[in-house]
Amino acid sequence: MKKFSFLFLLLLIFAGCKEDKKEQAIAETKKPAPKPVVKEYGFVLDDFDVVVDTIERGDNFGFILDRHGVDRGKVFEISQTVKDTFNPARITAGKKYLILKAKDSAHTPLHFIYQNNKIDYTVVNIGDSISAFSAKKPVSIKRREVSGVVTSSLSEAMQAQGLSNLLVYQLSDIYQWSIDFFKLQKGDQFKMIYNEKYIDDTIFAGVESVDAAVFKHSGRPFYAFNYETDSVTGQASFYDEEAKALQSFFLKAPLNYSRISSRYQRRRFHPVQKRWKAHLGTDYAAPTGTPIKTTADGTVIASSYTSGNGNYVKVRHNKKYTTQYLHMSKRNVRKGQAVKQGDVIGFVGSTGLATGPHVCYRFWVNGKQVDPYRQNLPTAKKIEGEKKDEYFAFIAPLKEELDNISYKKI
């Protein structure tokens, strides 16, 4: 009997222990997971009292630190010590900054962090040991594929896919020599393989690069492949499927993205002078202040003002070709200045005889004013020799990937 009682007691104890362990295990599963240690700007922000603010117009470095208990003498010492890394006089209104303070009774300011842009920032250590350094937030690159179809404009086609307007400019830049974006047709299609930048793997920070694209315009596919032609300088250009450069001697237009409001014509009713006369230029309507680009390399032979032309710039490209740009709100170059294709030479306005903001683009061949859209203009060189085989090997998988992306349809 005693033996039975003893065994029964052991069983009870064992069962109780097992139940205790079970309850303990349940309790442990209910405990919140430990908070992960997150670093930002190189600091564990939970270790500090953090002030996040934006620089207002009229703010300066001393004023900001004074508000947080740093005396003027210390501000001067900080400014002198870190001036080679951080110039307090150049902080800009609208930029974000942080002040990290010690979790003590005095809330002592220890670090000032200035956000130069989305990626770059500067840390100024303002505690006992004064120093400064610049750094970048971690950036990851994500590869994307996209397909779109034009119903009314390229920007609307991009927006329909939820894409950044940056891609509109990327695509128009790539094809600015080969496709007239003022003549896009409903049903034109495009496909792209490109790379996006993300900060901390989540915050979109822009388009890094376009690897390849194809734009089907009027039923004809225009391929473009981003290829590094100089491994030393890292210089790259876009070429088509036959190794021909997309870049041409002239840009298709002096504006990135706009519309033609009046074409070259021998007889047109002038909206200001109210009479019929020749219009020997092409008008591109765009908002005031839109940058105007020179369509080819050359030398500025005139940068002036007349009552008819308003602010205008004239560029000689070589013995054969000359271009002119009228009605600018502001000129950005001087006579005698050398300019490169794509340089901003002025900004859209309505000076001179103009009824609204636009640029009148004029074109001369051998001293005769002509319609640039009817000229057989020179193109850039293509890849030759052994490099051509290397190029075809490089683009083969990209072209296959592009071709396997389905075109969007209306």
Side-chain angles (χ1 to χ4, degrees), residues 328-371:
M328 297 176 171
S329 60
K330 180 182 177 183
R331 289 173 276 122
N332 198 45
V333 290
R334 64 186 184 281
K335 184 179 178 181
Q337 182 176 338
V339 290
K340 287 285 189 182
Q341 184 184 69
D343 283 353
V344 176
I345 56 174
F347 303 90
V348 169
S350 51
T351 57
L353 294 178
T355 57
H358 73 285
V359 59
C360 178
Y361 177 54
R362 297 185 175 182
F363 200 96
W364 283 263
V365 177
N366 293 323
K368 181 182 178 182
Q369 207 163 342
V370 298
D371 183 353

Side-chain angles (χ1 to χ4, degrees), residues 21 51 77 134 144 181 194 198 203 218 281 291 305 309 312:
K21 286 181 179 179
V51 176
E77 182 186 0
S134 296
R144 306 292 195 199
F181 279 88
Y194 65 102
Y198 284 85
I203 303 169
S218 299
Y305 180 91
N309 294 344
Y312 75 95

Side-chain angles (χ1 to χ4, degrees), residues 155-389:
S155 57
E156 286 188 10
M158 289 286 191
Q159 289 167 8
Q161 302 299 314
L163 300 171
S164 165
N165 281 333
L166 294 171
L167 279 177
V168 176
Y169 295 106
Q170 289 272 3
L171 204 59
S172 59
D173 277 348
I174 291 169
Y175 289 109
Q176 60 187 314
W177 298 278
S178 49
I179 294 176
D180 185 353
F181 279 88
F182 307 104
K183 294 181 178 178
L184 291 184
Q185 298 178 3
K186 186 176 181 179
D188 283 351
Q189 300 161 304
F190 61 88
K191 297 186 284 189
M192 296 175 73
I193 301 168
Y194 65 102
N195 302 291
E196 291 180 335
K197 293 186 290 187
Y198 284 85
I199 300 168
D200 295 324
D201 215 37
T202 55
I203 303 169
F204 177 69
V207 177
E208 170 73 6
S209 61
V210 175
D211 291 338
V214 58
F215 202 109
K216 187 183 282 187
H217 174 54
S218 299
R220 177 190 168 189
F222 291 82
Y223 282 91
F225 300 96
N226 194 353
Y227 185 66
E228 186 179 281
T229 51
D230 190 330
S231 58
V232 176
T233 63
Q235 184 178 355
S237 297
F238 283 92
Y239 297 83
D240 67 12
E241 74 277 21
E242 296 178 353
K244 294 177 183 177
L246 266 66
Q247 183 174 353
S248 191
F249 189 84
F250 283 94
L251 299 178
K252 282 285 187 181
L255 302 178
N256 255 351
Y257 202 69
S258 182
R259 66 179 178 85
I260 293 177
S261 52
S262 181
R263 292 189 176 275
Y264 179 101
Q265 48 196 308
R266 288 291 178 184
R267 183 172 167 79
R268 183 192 72 157
F269 188 75
H270 196 284
V272 177
Q273 296 178 321
K274 305 299 182 185
R275 64 187 179 91
W276 292 93
K277 60 182 294 188
H279 181 243
L280 303 182
T282 305
D283 291 348
Y284 295 90
T288 298
T290 301
I292 299 169
K293 302 183 295 184
T294 179
T295 53
D297 295 358
T299 302
V300 177
I301 59 173
S303 178
S304 189
Y305 180 91
T306 65
S307 58
N309 294 344
N311 285 312
Y312 75 95
V313 170
K314 195 170 186 178
V315 180
R316 179 184 292 119
H317 304 289
N318 55 26
K319 290 182 180 180
K320 186 175 182 179
Y321 298 108
T322 302
T323 57
Q324 189 178 29
Y325 313 78
L326 313 182
H327 310 305
M328 297 176 171
S329 60
K330 180 182 177 183
R331 289 173 276 122
N332 198 45
V333 290
R334 64 186 184 281
K335 184 179 178 181
Q337 182 176 338
V339 290
K340 287 285 189 182
Q341 184 184 69
D343 283 353
V344 176
I345 56 174
F347 303 90
V348 169
S350 51
T351 57
L353 294 178
T355 57
H358 73 285
V359 59
C360 178
Y361 177 54
R362 297 185 175 182
F363 200 96
W364 283 263
V365 177
N366 293 323
K368 181 182 178 182
Q369 207 163 342
V370 298
D371 183 353
Y373 287 100
R374 295 181 179 273
Q375 307 307 305
N376 184 20
L377 299 173
T379 59
K381 294 180 180 179
K382 59 183 180 180
I383 299 172
E384 302 280 8
E386 293 179 3
K387 290 187 176 180
K388 195 171 183 179
D389 292 334

Side-chain angles (χ1 to χ4, degrees), residues 22-73:
K22 184 178 179 182
E23 290 178 1
Q24 183 180 354
I26 293 171
E28 285 177 357
T29 57
K30 289 181 178 179
K31 284 182 181 178
K35 191 176 180 181
V37 176
V38 178
K39 276 193 171 185
E40 195 171 354
Y41 305 102
F43 297 95
V44 179
L45 297 187
D46 285 345
D47 293 345
F48 303 89
D49 287 333
V50 182
V51 176
V52 182
D53 210 337
T54 302
I55 294 170
E56 304 287 344
R57 187 175 296 277
D59 277 354
N60 60 56
F61 185 63
F63 178 69
I64 292 169
L65 292 190
D66 180 65
R67 282 197 313 231
H68 295 280
V70 181
D71 63 61
R72 292 183 180 180

Side-chain angles (χ1 to χ4, degrees), residues 53-59 64 91-97 114-117:
D53 210 337
T54 302
I55 294 170
E56 304 287 344
R57 187 175 296 277
D59 277 354
I64 292 169
I91 62 174
T92 307
K95 298 289 186 180
K96 175 184 170 183
Y97 70 88
Y114 178 70
Q115 188 74 58
N116 303 72
N117 51 50

